[in-house]
Amino acid sequence: MTSNDFSSAQGTPRHDLESSPAATVSAGPGSGPAPEDLLRRLRDRGAADPVTHVERVPARAGVPAPWPPWAPAELRAAFARRGVVAPWQHQAEAANLAYEGQHVVVATGTASGKSLAYQLPALATLLADPRATVLYLAPTKALAADQLRAVAALELEGVRPACYDGDTPRAEREWIRKHSRFVLTNPDMLHHGILPGHAQWSGFLRRLAYVVIDECHTYRGVFGSHVAHVLRRLRRQCARFGATPVFVLASATSGDPATTGGRLTGLPVTAVTEDASPRGGVTFALWEPPLLPPEAGSAAPVPPQAIGSPSVPPQAIGEHDDLRQVRRSALRETADLLADTVAEGVRTLAFVRSRKGAEVVAANARRSLDEAVPGLGDRVAAYRGGYLREERRELERALLHGDLLGLASTNALELGVDLVGLDAVLICGYPGTRASLWQQAGRAGRSGQEALAVLVARDDPLDTYLVHHPEAIFGAPVEATVLDPANPYVLAPQLACAAVEAPLTPADLALFGDGAKEAVDELVAAGALRQRPTGWYWRHRERPEVDLRGEGGAPVCVVESSTGRLLGTVDGGSSHFLLHPGAVHLHQGVSYVVDDLDLADGCALVHAEEPDWSTHARDVTDLSVVSVRSYVDAGPVGMFLGEVDVTSQVVSYQRRRIATGEVIDTRPLDLPTRELRTVAVWFTLSPQSLALAGVQPADVPGALHAAEHAAIGLLPLMATCDRWDIGGLSTAVHPDTEAPTVFVYDGQPGGAGFAERAYGTASAWLRATRDAIAECGCETGCPSCVQSPKCGNGNNPLSKPDAIRVLDVVLANLPD
Ligand SMILES: [Zn+2]
Ligand SMILES: [Zn+2]
């Protein structure tokens, strides 16, 4: 999942690697061909050129800045011992702003040394004021541990940095609360431990000078909205003790980081985005696998009036796209490229989205190498998450030293921070966000030597769009991290938590923002809060149970019936799709078949079985408009943002042959309906405008449906979501709008901010959608443009040419 795609390397003090680049360079062979020559040989295949664009990302010399005058000599000396001779420009700029008391977000590339930007003001303050404290938040324990090592290595007197998380022994906790002045933790611990125990933390919070929020782009959607309120609760407790800490945020590059930082903290935030760190040159090629001759589709036509695309995750992302064989599979293409680069003696890392995919790529590359030169295949390996840490480090070492030449890996998260400076990186499918793309590409290139990166497009509208629109990758970022703190499903439980920590006052309502008053009134009506002259009080003995990362209802347990072993859990919102009786369920690469889904107990019983089919659930979806928040009246076109109720029922599933994608049969299911109140963006068109544009009435459902699929596929261009976070529905006439309508909605109760971002960028979003469809080389629609891997209606009906007409009508009328 994209939310896990941040690199553990990013929070570590990479600036010391940068200022002494030799530290990252191993004794690898490094005698491969120049990237341009290598690329020429890779793309020379006699057929159509698969390369749609080559971008030369030039090497950049760093722009150093002087140490700020307020940075004490002791601190400069400590950094100098770690190899940091001077800060880069962006580090100094962010550090100066923070030291002056401004809230700041530094949003620059991977390995640009964002940590120095917050370490500098925070540690200078700790040295100047022996009572001051700093709180550092990372999204994961591992990242906090990395950062602890970095701060501890500076060996500064009296700072006493310490991690405080679920793994911290009880015996050490009190010492940390009393004596550490640089506490590293995560939002979950802040929420479950530190804020409820604020009385024990009063000494620390009273003197809190800085709050550092690392990797803040990971706080998105519903999780991000929860974290936004945890930070407001933190600010409230600090204010009670008289402290007003400065917030310093570090983010991957993204669109509009100041706005996102402001939403997350509730404070005005200044952005520093100009990256002044040095980097090696990279030749970056965008690669589109060729179209294969078309085959007849096998799905039976289902012509419903309203056509929904549920927002559920796939069982194995990526693999079933490849079954359709409309374009040559990105996996095969990547395997060929890996074999070719290895044959050239080039050390290559291939990133593949799934574990199974990584193994397929490695196995295919090995086979073709062995066919060419027996034994050469041994120099390629797959890098599996299931390996032990030592085994993984050994594989990395072998690649760095050239014993191995090719490695296929799932994502950057599992790789060690030292695995950089490779000659080539292959990226099989857009990894979901630009931040992840650059983290993966950033493994290539070392000082003084050029490297090659290749993005191989998968059959997916967003991948197709990107390989034809290099400006969306190499130009200014538009993809923003979105969250919606006003989500009532987040706000109400967070206000309940706040009320337990201290009674809520009218001033607090302003702190918690839009919707806080309504949420408090509802909590009073529900008997959870009692209003007294001094504020709103929590009425129960127990604290409310609120999970920051919980999504879509209670999770459903997956249990192996023969052993009683718990294999894992599935998000409640997806359980009907993924765990219906007969569903094939993949767990860490092993296949299970569901015998029974017990909804009352929240548990699915499964047995291990490897059938040669996959299962695909279908649902019927109904949607009604509850309220309109905002709209644009554009003549024959209307664009709306509002609340909707989505009712869906999983009614059947298809079994499809894994090898061919052929449908074996469709089986009925008997599952209850489910309801979701959420936020949607939708547009309507007048039937007259569609007729004028040449869309025949009979083709309207297929036109809208195709436009809906592609629009869902392209939304991740504007917001950091993936298509599994969003659902859609299209209909030739909707009872609430009385017009042909396409809805796109957040898959989370109360909304997650994605639909809102889509509404705010509607013309850019739909323009990209239109271009992605129009520029796809297929004739009648394929997974690269209008087909969707999660369609509840078996991708039927779909009309590619009419979808372009629909979007042209919308774009012609909608103001920019
Ligand atoms: Zn297509
Ligand atoms: Zn669909």
Side-chain angles (χ1 to χ4, degrees):
M1 285 285 135
T2 54
S3 58
N4 290 333
D5 270 347
F6 56 85
S7 156
S8 60
Q10 195 165 338
T12 58
R14 290 288 290 276
H15 47 268
D16 56 8
L17 301 182
E18 288 153 12
S19 45
S20 56
T24 66
V25 178
S26 78
S31 53
E36 292 81 6
D37 297 334
L38 178 60
L39 181 61
R40 195 172 314 121
R41 273 175 257 173
L42 294 177
R43 68 200 281 191
D44 178 21
R45 347 177 113 198
D49 186 353
V51 173
T52 57
H53 179 80
V54 179
E55 182 89 6
R56 259 287 285 131
V57 183
R60 178 180 62 204
V63 183
W67 289 106
W70 45 262
E74 179 188 358
L75 185 57
R76 297 181 203 186
F79 280 124
R81 282 198 300 276
R82 305 294 300 161
V84 182
V85 200
W88 304 117
Q89 185 80 55
H90 64 284
Q91 296 170 326
E93 187 187 343
N96 275 317
L97 286 167
Y99 197 78
E100 288 163 13
Q102 294 198 45
H103 311 293
V104 59
V105 56
V106 52
T108 50
T110 308
S112 59
K114 291 188 275 278
S115 45
L116 189 68
Y118 52 77
Q119 285 172 356
L120 200 50
L123 295 170
T125 301
L126 294 189
L127 292 176
D129 174 359
R131 292 173 46 78
T133 59
V134 170
L135 184 67
Y136 166 94
L137 296 172
T140 65
K141 289 187 227 171
L143 182 55
D146 274 353
Q147 190 62 205
L148 172 65
R149 276 192 289 278
V151 174
L154 295 170
E155 297 178 331
L156 295 169
E157 185 80 23
V159 171
R160 299 183 290 272
C163 278
Y164 190 94
D165 57 37
D167 296 342
T168 309
R170 298 242 157 237
E172 291 175 22
R173 292 190 175 190
E174 191 185 348
W175 185 93
I176 293 170
R177 286 196 295 267
K178 286 204 172 125
H179 301 290
S180 173
R181 297 172 60 220
F182 197 118
V183 171
L184 303 102
T185 186
N186 52 62
D188 310 79
M189 193 60 177
L190 185 58
H191 164 65
H192 288 296
I194 296 175
L195 288 170
H198 56 82
Q200 292 174 302
W201 284 88
S202 59
F204 182 88
L205 294 176
R206 179 171 292 126
R207 297 174 278 127
L208 190 59
Y210 287 97
V211 177
V212 175
I213 307 176
D214 206 353
E215 302 277 356
C216 69
H217 57 278
T218 58
Y219 304 127
R220 64 176 192 92
V222 170
F223 176 46
S225 308
H226 270 294
V227 172
H229 288 298
V230 172
L231 295 174
R232 283 160 180 74
R233 284 161 51 202
L234 171 67
R235 286 176 49 210
R236 180 167 169 258
Q237 289 303 326
C238 289
R240 289 181 65 225
F241 295 122
T244 49
V246 173
F247 282 71
V248 187
L249 295 81
S251 167
T253 50
S254 70
D256 210 0
T259 300
T260 306
R263 278 195 159 198
L264 189 61
T265 58
L267 294 163
V269 173
T270 306
V272 173
T273 56
E274 197 75 38
D275 191 339
S277 64
R279 69 174 174 212
V282 175
T283 298
F284 206 134
L286 305 182
W287 189 286
E288 184 174 47
L291 280 166
L292 296 170
E295 278 174 41
S298 49
V302 185
Q305 206 183 39
I307 297 159
S309 298
S311 60
V312 294
Q315 299 213 7
I317 294 173
E319 259 65 58
H320 41 235
D321 300 33
D322 294 319
L323 300 178
R324 282 174 238 259
Q325 299 285 303
V326 178
R327 279 186 190 280
R328 192 156 186 274
S329 134
L331 289 177
R332 286 189 198 168
E333 204 82 346
T334 304
D336 284 359
L337 287 170
L338 182 60
D340 290 349
T341 54
V342 167
E344 297 268 357
V346 171
R347 290 176 313 153
T348 307
L349 185 55
F351 286 107
V352 188
R353 283 168 66 114
S354 71
R355 283 181 191 177
K356 193 174 142 213
E359 281 168 30
V360 167
V361 165
N364 283 346
R366 270 199 300 267
R367 193 177 314 124
S368 25
L369 285 166
D370 275 335
E371 277 167 17
V373 182
L376 192 55
D378 292 344
R379 302 192 71 186
V380 173
Y383 183 100
R384 284 200 297 266
Y387 285 166
L388 297 173
R389 186 186 158 87
E390 295 71 45
E391 293 172 309
R392 288 192 261 150
R393 296 297 167 264
E394 183 49 43
L395 282 173
E396 291 173 11
R397 256 191 304 276
L399 183 62
L400 279 174
H401 290 273
D403 305 330
L404 267 185
L405 282 173
L407 197 57
S409 169
T410 42
N411 66 46
L413 187 65
E414 292 167 346
L415 294 173
V417 294
D418 297 332
L419 190 58
V420 291
L422 296 166
D423 303 315
V425 165
L426 308 172
I427 300 165
C428 180
Y430 183 60
T433 63
R434 285 164 47 112
S436 304
L437 182 77
W438 287 110
Q439 270 159 0
Q440 297 185 352
R443 299 285 181 164
R446 43 183 161 161
S447 158
Q449 221 166 346
E450 300 282 313
L452 177 69
V454 181
L455 170 63
V456 180
R458 292 187 320 144
D459 259 356
D460 177 278
L462 183 57
D463 283 35
T464 305
Y465 179 81
L466 290 171
V467 294
H468 291 285
H469 291 264
E471 75 281 1
I473 294 176
F474 303 105
V478 290
E479 152 204 276
T481 307
V482 301
L483 51 142
D484 180 11
N487 177 337
Y489 295 83
V490 173
L491 190 47
Q494 285 291 335
L495 282 164
C497 294
V500 178
E501 287 153 15
L504 293 166
T505 64
D508 291 334
L509 299 183
L511 173 70
F512 286 94
D514 288 347
K517 180 68 175 71
E518 292 79 358
V520 165
D521 288 345
E522 281 189 24
L523 288 167
V524 171
L529 293 182
R530 171 178 292 143
Q531 186 165 16
R532 292 193 184 143
T534 46
W536 289 276
Y537 286 71
W538 180 246
R539 293 185 60 171
H540 302 292
R541 290 176 66 86
E542 314 80 36
R543 290 175 37 77
E545 266 186 43
V546 179
D547 180 358
L548 304 186
R549 303 177 195 243
E551 289 178 354
V556 172
C557 299
V558 184
V559 176
E560 191 175 29
S561 10
S562 59
T563 59
R565 190 163 66 99
L566 175 67
L567 299 174
T569 61
V570 165
D571 171 45
S574 319
S575 57
H576 291 206
F577 285 95
L578 301 182
L579 296 175
H580 59 78
V584 177
H585 176 72
L586 291 175
H587 177 73
Q588 298 197 341
V590 181
S591 162
Y592 296 85
V593 173
V594 178
D595 299 312
D596 186 33
L597 173 60
D598 185 337
L599 291 166
D601 282 351
C603 150
L605 295 173
V606 304
H607 67 273
E609 186 185 334
E610 199 97 15
D612 68 349
W613 62 80
S614 57
T615 52
H616 304 263
R618 287 184 165 198
D619 75 340
V620 288
T621 303
D622 210 10
L623 183 151
S624 61
V625 174
V626 178
S627 65
V628 173
R629 255 191 225 173
S630 175
Y631 68 95
V632 179
D633 181 354
V637 171
M639 180 67 64
F640 300 83
L641 178 73
E643 280 197 310
V644 296
D645 278 334
V646 181
T647 310
S648 62
Q649 185 177 22
V650 175
V651 292
S652 64
Y653 68 101
Q654 280 188 344
R655 299 191 303 158
R656 292 192 204 146
R657 204 75 70 200
I658 288 176
T660 59
E662 166 211 354
V663 176
I664 303 169
D665 57 11
T666 301
R667 299 181 165 199
L669 288 168
D670 182 23
L671 289 165
T673 58
R674 300 162 59 94
E675 305 208 346
L676 172 73
R677 174 162 296 185
T678 186
V679 178
V681 56
W682 65 94
F683 61 83
T684 59
L685 305 96
S686 72
Q688 296 80 356
S689 67
L690 286 175
L692 270 175
V695 183
Q696 301 298 315
D699 295 329
V700 170
L704 299 173
H705 188 203
E708 173 218 319
H709 278 184
I712 290 175
L714 265 294
L715 187 49
L717 187 67
M718 318 309 296
T720 50
C721 54
D722 68 31
R723 64 192 302 160
W724 312 103
D725 293 326
I726 324 161
L729 181 128
S730 55
T731 168
V733 57
H734 190 276
D736 294 330
T737 65
E738 298 176 352
T741 311
V742 172
F743 293 90
V744 173
Y745 57 85
D746 289 347
Q748 307 290 341
F754 306 127
E756 187 187 342
R757 172 77 180 165
Y759 179 77
T761 58
S763 55
W765 168 46
L766 295 177
R767 166 82 48 206
T769 303
R770 186 239 174 247
D771 291 350
I773 302 173
E775 287 159 10
C776 185
C778 72
E779 273 181 29
T780 56
C782 71
S784 298
C785 54
V786 298
Q787 291 183 3
S788 165
K790 64 170 199 180
C791 182
N793 296 87
N795 283 302
N796 209 303
L798 288 177
S799 170
K800 174 179 168 174
D802 289 320
I804 299 170
R805 294 188 184 105
V806 162
L807 291 164
D808 280 339
V809 171
V810 175
L811 290 164
N813 289 283
L814 201 64
D816 275 339

